[in-house]
Every structure is written in C-alpha cells, then in structure tokens.
Amino acid sequence: MSIYAIGDVQGCYSELRHLLDKIKFDPASDMVWFTGDLINRGPNNVEVLRFVRSLGKRAVSVLGNHEIYSLVIVFGEYSMDDNDTLGDLISADDCEELCHWIRQLPLLHKENSHLLVHAGIPHTWTEKQAFSFANEVENVLRGEAYRELLRHLFDRETDCWSTELRGVERYRMILDYLTRMRYIGKYGNLDLKNKHFLPVPPTGFQAWFDYPTRLKNDVIFGHWASLNGFTNNEQFHSLDTGCVWGRTLTAMNLSDHSRVAVPKMLK
C-alpha cells in the first residue's frame, strides 16, 4: 500500500484525475491525503467533492479555508465574492449533502510520522495542543450549533491566540492558525494580509515554519501557493504548487517523499 499526499486541488478535477493516473493510484490498496482547499477558484468543484467523497476511507482531506468559506456561504447566509467559483456547488442538487460531508472533515490528521494540515501549526503549540484545539472546532462544526458558529465566524478578527478566548473568537483563532496562517509573530500574532512569500518577511513576522518547532513529526501542508512547494526545511512539506493559478498539481509519496506533478490543462 502506498499513501500519497496531494496539494490544493481547488476545483481542478481533470488535473486531479490525470495526476492519480500518473502515480498509478489504486483505490483498492492505496490511500490519498488532501491538504484541503478541494474547491473554489477552479471550474469543477462538484466533481472534485463527489469524487473524493466516493473514495471513502481510501481518502483523507483536512479542512481548508475554502471549505470553511463554502460552509459559511451555504449555512451561514454569507454572500459570495466576485472572485469565487462556487456557483456549481451552490446550484447542485446535492449541495447540502456535500456540505454536510465537508463539515465532518478533520482539521488535522496524523498517521505514523506525518501530520496533515491545511495551512500550518503555530510554533507556540505542541502537537497535543494542536489536536485538542482542532477537536474543539470539529465538535462544533459536527454538532447542532454549527449554523450559529458559521453565521458569526466573519463578524470580527482576533489576531493572536490566548487561552482566555472563548466562543466564536476562540474557534476563529484556531481556524486562522490551521487554515489561514502564513506569517506569524514570535508570540503567535498573525499577519493575514500578506499572501505572497516575500524575500524579506513583514517586520515582526516570519513564515510559520521558520521558527524552532515543538513538533516531532513531519508536517504536510498546502495553502501557500507562492511557496511553489518549497520551505527549505525538511520537516515541513509544502504541496500547493498553484495548479489553479496555471502551474502544477503535485503528489508526494509519504514513504520516500518523492514527488510527481502534472501541469494545468489548457481549456
């Protein structure tokens, strides 16, 4: 059995199927992990969701910020932005069914020596803390109060973790770390404005993976397309190589960290 991890698909269904063919993925014996952001910005969101869901236990996907965003739109009565391409999901007959499946997805996944997360894990947390905080949000999203959380998730932003945070502010901060983080300050404050990898980090911030870490396992993540798959740190494996932006979709074999990529297909 092989386990492959694949970076942000973002609705690029044809490229996903091409990549799986290229690595000779066998759903009868292999597994595939997804770094989240299965949807949005690309053209075929419904096809991606239906396909990943059809793989059942042979696939694991963590929640990305675009999954959270889609839940806020569908269940939290939030309006889409002009740059979004979620129209096919919103109009699909099985939209709510797919979104109920989405809200059951984990924020973190661990197997053997690898952790899977969408954006990253802050240097201020241990692995045990990360899973504990992730479980807090997962329990709300999977429970009866999920609509209330989603209705208020975008009301305001807290930019730094504190054990004193409660309710929506606490859940939002956990989600910001795990699904939106790129640059972070020494004490855990976030810069969510700078989305590109900069030659010189914003003053007072570093890329989250550039701090001394309290984690022992390898971390697989997506989210930061401008890294183009590189971190200069062998413990942290960036897999978002910007397929939806015209570059490639990348898979990594967890056994030896070898990579295979396919280019964005022309229309």
Side-chain angles (χ1 to χ4, degrees), residues 5-22:
I6 294 180
D8 301 28
V9 178
Q10 294 198 250
C12 296
Y13 178 68
S14 297
E15 291 81 1
L16 172 60
R17 297 306 299 266
H18 182 199
L19 180 58
L20 291 174
D21 288 343
K22 190 169 182 178

Side-chain angles (χ1 to χ4, degrees), residues 2-151:
S2 296
I3 302 177
Y4 300 93
I6 294 180
D8 301 28
V9 178
Q10 294 198 250
C12 296
Y13 178 68
S14 297
E15 291 81 1
L16 172 60
R17 297 306 299 266
H18 182 199
L19 180 58
L20 291 174
D21 288 343
K22 190 169 182 178
I23 62 176
K24 296 181 172 58
F25 173 73
D26 182 358
S29 58
D30 298 333
M31 287 196 65
V32 60
W33 292 7
F34 294 95
T35 60
D37 279 7
L38 294 170
I39 53 177
N40 207 11
R41 301 290 189 258
N44 302 115
N45 305 289
V46 171
E47 286 89 342
V48 171
L49 290 175
R50 289 172 180 162
F51 173 70
V52 174
R53 186 186 181 201
S54 75
L55 293 175
K57 293 183 179 179
R58 308 314 300 175
V60 174
S61 180
V62 289
L63 286 165
N65 55 300
H66 284 290
E67 278 81 33
I68 298 297
Y69 181 68
S70 70
L71 294 179
V72 171
I73 290 171
V74 173
F75 297 126
E77 303 169 4
Y78 193 80
S79 298
M80 281 194 296
D81 186 81
D82 291 340
N83 294 322
D84 297 321
T85 64
L86 292 169
D88 64 328
L89 173 60
I90 303 303
S91 62
D93 292 339
D94 55 349
C95 172
E96 287 209 3
E97 181 181 345
L98 290 169
C99 288
H100 284 305
W101 173 76
I102 287 173
R103 70 183 182 89
Q104 303 300 316
L105 297 177
L107 284 160
L108 288 172
H109 177 72
K110 179 184 176 183
E111 190 165 331
N112 299 324
S113 61
H114 290 89
L115 288 171
L116 179 69
V117 66
H118 179 60
I121 299 173
H123 62 283
T124 53
W125 290 357
T126 64
E127 180 183 309
K128 183 178 180 180
Q129 287 174 318
F131 273 94
S132 176
F133 299 145
N135 287 340
E136 289 184 38
V137 182
E138 291 166 356
N139 289 338
V140 177
L141 286 175
R142 296 168 182 172
E144 296 181 358
Y146 71 96
R147 291 181 185 267
E148 184 68 13
L149 170 61
L150 295 169
R151 275 196 291 267

